[in-house]
Amino acid sequence: MRLRPLGDSGIMVSPLGLGTVKFGRNEQVKYPEPFELPSDAEVSDLLSLAADLGINLLDTAPAYGSSQARLGQLLPGPRDRWVVVSKVGESFENGESRFDFSFDTTVQVVEHSLRTLNMDYLDLVLIHSDGDDLRILEHEGAPDALRELKERGLIRAHGMSSKTPEGGLRTVEQLDVVMATCNPDYLDDLAVLEAAAARNRGVLIKKGLQSGHVNGPQGVAAAMDFVFSQPGVSSMIVGTINPNHLQANVKMFDSVVK
Ligand SMILES: NC(=O)c1ccc[n+]([C@@H]2O[C@H](COP(=O)([O-])OP(=O)(O)OC[C@H]3O[C@@H](n4cnc5c(N)ncnc54)[C@H](OP(=O)(O)O)[C@@H]3O)[C@@H](O)[C@H]2O)c1
């Protein structure tokens, strides 16, 4: 896949990224079907396939169960072959999400993620919003902590995975990258994408396939066509643990978008 700039961050990303929620968590998720976590061999094969298909972008988070630890153990190839995105603000333990957007916790979580992922830098760290985007951006310590971590060279870029259009717009003003929701059934963030394009901020799309509630290959084609017709989209992060879907999605991107 031909790499695209992630806004003005200096980072180049494949237009399809791989979301790794399903590598590590199968409780309290909104996918259509229950599923077993993949084995180590299945995760390794999926990561090798992603690399072979030209995908360089991986999205993980502390709230995704064992996802980070598995990437730390199983990620193939040299570190700089991958663009690794992680998050701060949400943890998930004993079936429950907890949120902490304070300065100190943000720094600790990034340092912990680096150890778990077995890496000495993260390409991008996003604030994993609890829905109250503006309060986090205006009154919590996480944005300043991420700016400091970037100055220290532990992260290359910062941003927010926003949950409201207002939060997405503020993210575009204050941080390098916004992760927004975009699919044919969710149009609320379209103004965020426009604002990001105007400022040359990076845009990652989540839930482009409506968390799996798409209607077969035609639904996938319609979703990709819709997402990539919007201005400013750097990459669509698609979650999958099915190698056939991974391959089909890259093929679909090539026929619908390229
Ligand atoms: N920061 C946040 O707040 C946040 C929230 C949600 C998501 N995310 C990130 O964004 C990523 C994507 O979001 P998402 O996982 O919710 O939604 P998604 O990418 O829209 O959908 C993933 C679902 O689609 C299925 N799928 C993938 N390719 C398919 C195909 N060709 N045909 C049919 N089904 C297909 C997958 O099932 P199979 O495994 O069977 O392929 C999976 O259940 C996540 O993995 C995560 O990294 C972030």
Side-chain angles (χ1 to χ4, degrees), residues 14 48 74 91 103 120 133 135 140 156 165 184-185 224 229:
S14 49
S48 298
L74 301 170
S91 58
F103 187 101
D120 54 11
D133 299 348
R135 180 186 57 76
E140 294 278 5
R156 294 173 70 196
D185 277 355
M224 285 191 187
S229 317

Side-chain angles (χ1 to χ4, degrees), residues 18-22 30-33 35 58-61 64 87 90 126-129 161-163 179 181 183 205-214 216-217 220 224 236-246 248-249:
L18 178 59
T20 67
V21 178
K22 292 176 90 175
K30 293 176 185 156
Y31 299 111
E33 306 287 342
F35 59 95
L58 299 173
D59 182 66
T60 185
Y64 297 169
K87 311 203 182 68
E90 180 177 357
L126 303 171
I127 298 170
H128 212 160
S129 175
S161 174
S162 57
K163 293 213 169 149
M179 178 182 266
T181 301
N183 63 56
I205 300 300
K206 60 183 169 184
K207 304 184 189 178
L209 299 185
Q210 298 175 48
S211 298
H213 299 270
V214 272
V220 174
M224 285 191 187
M236 174 169 163
I237 310 278
V238 178
T240 184
I241 49 172
N242 179 331
N244 296 328
H245 284 166
L246 186 61
N249 292 343

Side-chain angles (χ1 to χ4, degrees), residues 9 63 67 76 78 81 108 110 118-119 123 132 161 165 216-217 232 237:
S9 68
S67 167
R81 192 245 165 262
Q108 283 161 19
V110 169
N118 201 15
M119 292 171 183
D123 295 278
D132 203 352
S161 174
I237 310 278

